[in-house]
């Protein structure tokens, strides 16, 4: 049955105030393309694809075992993929983010969850089918990352909606 599977991914959900600020900045660029909805702004850590609903508890347990630290993410780079995806990225990627992804992927592969072999590229998608990259956009957004979450990607009448299934705090200064 369709309801027995969920399209799952781990991600950093963009805090609402930051998402509003990013969307205001994006609007002022007057770009062509399909904008990502404010509520959907996120940074994917690991994409799991279709998984049996029955595995969600197991996934929650393995994510709860992670010991990763909070960090500051500076989104200061605007880039466009050749498929037309316009995105924000940090330069450079914080070590603590790479460490979080590494721990997560290691626990997922121990649980025999197949992940992509492509290397992780930190990015926050802004707009799809963007015909050209704007010049002089100079993004500068600071995101204090204190938690990560498991989401189910679902379709509704308004398009794609991400339902947060669970969220976990990151350690501050290496402590709980
Ligand atoms: P839509 O596909 O409906 O336009 P979306 O791409 O945001 O919207 P999903 O396809 O469910 O929604 O993807 C959820 C997240 O997982 C997004 O960050 C997306 O970039 C990422 N993702 C989707 N497919 C893959 C994949 N094959 N490999 C890696 N990441 C993926
Ligand atoms: Mg997609």
């Amino acid at each position: 049955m369709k309801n027995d599977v969920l399209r799952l991914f781990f991600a950093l959900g963009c805090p609402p105030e930051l998402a509003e600020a990013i969307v205001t900045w994006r609007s002022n660029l007057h770009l062509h393309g399909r904008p990502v909805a404010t509520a959907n702004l996120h940074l994917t850590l690991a994409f799991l694809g279709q998984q049996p609903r029955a595995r969600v508890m197991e996934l929650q347990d393995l994510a709860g075992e992670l010991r990763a630290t909070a960090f500051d993410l500076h989104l200061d780079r605007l880039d466009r993929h050749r498929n037309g995806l316009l995105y924000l990225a940090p330069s450079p990627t914080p070590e603590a983010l790479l460490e979080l992804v590494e721990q997560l992927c290691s626990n997922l592969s121990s649980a025999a969850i197949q992940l992509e072999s492509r290397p992780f590229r930190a990015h926050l998608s802004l707009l799809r089918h963007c015909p050209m990259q704007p010049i002089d956009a100079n993004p500068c957004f600071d995101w204090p990352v204190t938690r990560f979450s498991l989401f189910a990607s679902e379709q509704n009448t308004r398009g794609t909606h991400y339902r947060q299934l669970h969220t976990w705090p990151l350690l501050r200064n290496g402590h709980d």
Side-chain angles (χ1 to χ4, degrees):
M1 240 167 62
K2 194 167 177 286
N3 276 350
D4 290 340
V5 292
L6 295 169
R7 185 174 169 89
L8 299 178
F9 63 104
F10 285 96
L12 308 176
C14 191
E17 273 187 19
L18 176 62
E20 290 292 346
I22 291 174
V23 165
T24 301
W25 167 83
R26 180 182 66 184
S27 304
N28 288 331
L29 295 174
H30 304 290
L31 301 166
H32 293 282
R34 180 159 67 86
V36 175
T38 314
N40 283 1
L41 293 182
H42 69 282
L43 189 148
T44 298
L45 302 171
F47 177 73
L48 283 63
Q50 305 283 69
Q51 297 290 336
R53 187 186 288 273
R55 287 204 86 169
V56 167
M57 281 307 287
E58 180 194 354
L59 292 168
Q60 291 186 180
D61 287 347
L62 73 79
E65 287 167 7
L66 299 195
R67 288 289 168 263
T69 13
F71 56 92
D72 288 327
L73 189 63
H74 304 292
L75 296 170
D76 56 359
R77 192 160 67 80
L78 181 67
D79 215 336
R80 180 181 166 275
H81 195 265
R82 58 178 182 274
N83 66 6
L85 179 75
L86 192 75
Y87 61 90
L88 285 171
S91 56
T93 305
E95 275 302 319
L97 172 56
L98 297 174
E99 174 66 22
L100 168 62
V101 171
E102 205 173 294
Q103 281 193 33
L104 187 57
C105 292
S106 158
N107 281 16
L108 288 168
S109 47
S110 303
I113 306 253
Q114 296 282 330
L115 294 172
E116 286 215 355
S117 51
R118 274 190 294 178
F120 170 72
R121 289 254 190 106
H123 70 279
L124 183 145
S125 300
L126 288 173
L127 200 90
R128 293 199 166 81
H129 313 301
C130 181
M132 58 186 279
Q133 181 168 344
I135 48 166
D136 298 334
N138 301 323
C140 181
F141 296 103
D142 287 328
W143 177 353
V145 179
T146 58
R147 52 185 53 254
F148 70 102
S149 308
L150 176 64
F151 292 95
S153 173
E154 300 175 339
Q155 297 296 319
N156 63 24
T157 48
R158 289 191 291 171
T160 304
H161 168 74
Y162 304 143
R163 182 161 57 90
Q164 184 176 286
L165 301 181
H166 202 87
T167 186
W168 296 267
L170 292 168
L171 308 179
R172 290 174 190 273
N173 305 315
H175 301 290
D176 282 300

